[in-house]
Amino acid sequence: MAEAARRVLYRRMTSRSPDEPHRTATPLELFFDLCFVVAVAQAAASLHHAVTEGHTGQGVLGFLMVFFAIWWAWVNFSWFSSAYDTDDVPFRLTTMVQIAGALILAAGVPRAFDHGDFRLITLGYVVMRLAMVTQWLRVAAQDPAHRGTALRFAGGIALVQAGWVLRLLLPAPWDFRMFFVLVVCELLVPVWAERKAPTRWHPHHIAERYSLFTLIVLGESVLSATLAVEAAFGTGHAASLVWLAAAGLVIVFSMWWLYFERSAHDLLVSLRAGIRWGYGHYFILAAAAAVGAGLAAMADFHSHVSHVSARAAAYSVAVPVAVYLSSLFLLQIRPHYRGVVVYAFPAAIVLVLLAPLGPAPVQVIALLIAALTTVVVLARHPRPAPASAPS
């Protein structure tokens, strides 16, 4: 009885099988995702306000920087848990420390956007990443086959975190330049560490984890756009806001449909493919979050509380939609489809970027992406040929 209780409280952290049947996301992983969306929502809301106030360039740059911290911490946890999720007490407690770090980061987002103060964001990020170091040190102690890989991960992550802290001491513009240097270092740590002895992640599990996070981010976009429309509805522009809300729903529904039309697990056939696919999702997820901010900015424009032109507001929707379609096409559509779909995606992307030059740009974007979704569905499920008449 005591031995059984001990196994529940503590398990040896050894690599899980990549062929494990029926591997799905755990309740802890789902809780982790939901808590991270708080930070995503803060970043999207700050982008929305920056666009509305006419600080689009500054807002986009700040959003991309903050979103990298959120996304990269999520990515590292997801791939680690795919290989080493023991679901014991130490694993759960360490994961909750990472969640606390994400909430600290979320609390620092407004100060980063409004005052360029990244201290609280950096603190939250370092908390998340140092929790990951403790996980890798546990692997190094308990999984001899991957000890070298685990030590590379732990040492590389810890070293880069020291760089993030030191960056706070640098004067402008060196602190800004150092950000991109450290981003490159963060991205190179897994590439370098995995060369020692690749970890054994589960393709189906990884594909599901990314799908779930994409789903949650798309839901956050719907929420942010809905709240903006609700806040603007009492301004006397109900008709235009109804059309905007309808078009926004078509856009987000189509984004969902295109992403989930085909599972991506069969694309994750190697470490190289996994890194390319996993890293490329930064653009899919960031664009999905930014679409909600863009729709909220369009609601502000229709309510005459925005400080930007109609074209600038429309591009706050068109650009993230185009980035989303481009990234999805390269990562998941092109490998699965041939023929008309391969040509329909680039054409739709160009037309989406041209839509703000004409009237009703968001409605036009909605029609374009809905038409593209129809093309993809028909290519996946072609109509059966009519049966020949009996002779």
Side-chain angles (χ1 to χ4, degrees), residues 153-165:
F153 266 111
I157 293 171
L159 185 62
V160 178
Q161 299 325 294
W164 286 114
V165 174

Side-chain angles (χ1 to χ4, degrees), residues 83-239:
Y84 289 105
D85 183 2
T86 56
D87 198 31
D88 58 3
V89 170
F91 182 87
R92 290 185 175 190
L93 290 176
T94 308
T95 301
M96 289 175 182
V97 171
Q98 291 178 272
I99 291 173
L103 298 178
I104 294 171
L105 187 151
V109 169
R111 290 189 62 82
F113 272 83
D114 297 339
H115 309 291
D117 183 356
F118 282 84
R119 288 177 296 179
L120 197 54
I121 282 184
T122 301
L123 173 61
Y125 182 72
V126 171
V127 167
M128 291 188 289
R129 302 297 281 135
L130 291 182
M132 199 77 256
V133 170
T134 65
Q135 298 278 41
W136 282 114
L137 290 176
R138 188 178 171 195
V139 172
Q142 299 176 7
D143 187 6
H146 293 90
R147 178 172 291 122
T149 300
L151 289 175
R152 284 190 176 198
F153 266 111
I157 293 171
L159 185 62
V160 178
Q161 299 325 294
W164 286 114
V165 174
L166 292 174
R167 173 182 171 269
L168 297 176
L169 305 177
L170 294 177
W174 289 104
D175 60 337
F176 178 74
R177 296 169 183 170
M178 191 62 178
F179 174 87
F180 296 100
V181 173
L182 290 168
V183 164
V184 172
C185 292
E186 289 275 19
L187 296 174
L188 289 178
V189 167
V191 178
W192 170 66
E194 293 280 356
R195 294 181 64 182
K196 185 71 176 176
T199 53
R200 304 174 68 202
W201 40 270
H202 196 293
H204 286 268
H205 180 246
I206 287 293
E208 183 193 33
R209 295 291 294 115
Y210 274 80
S211 296
L212 290 171
F213 199 55
T214 302
L215 184 68
I216 292 173
V217 172
L218 285 172
E220 187 279 325
S221 285
V222 172
L223 176 62
S224 63
T226 301
L227 292 176
V229 170
E230 178 186 352
F233 215 81
T235 60
H237 304 280

Side-chain angles (χ1 to χ4, degrees), residues 5 15 354:
S15 182
L354 293 175

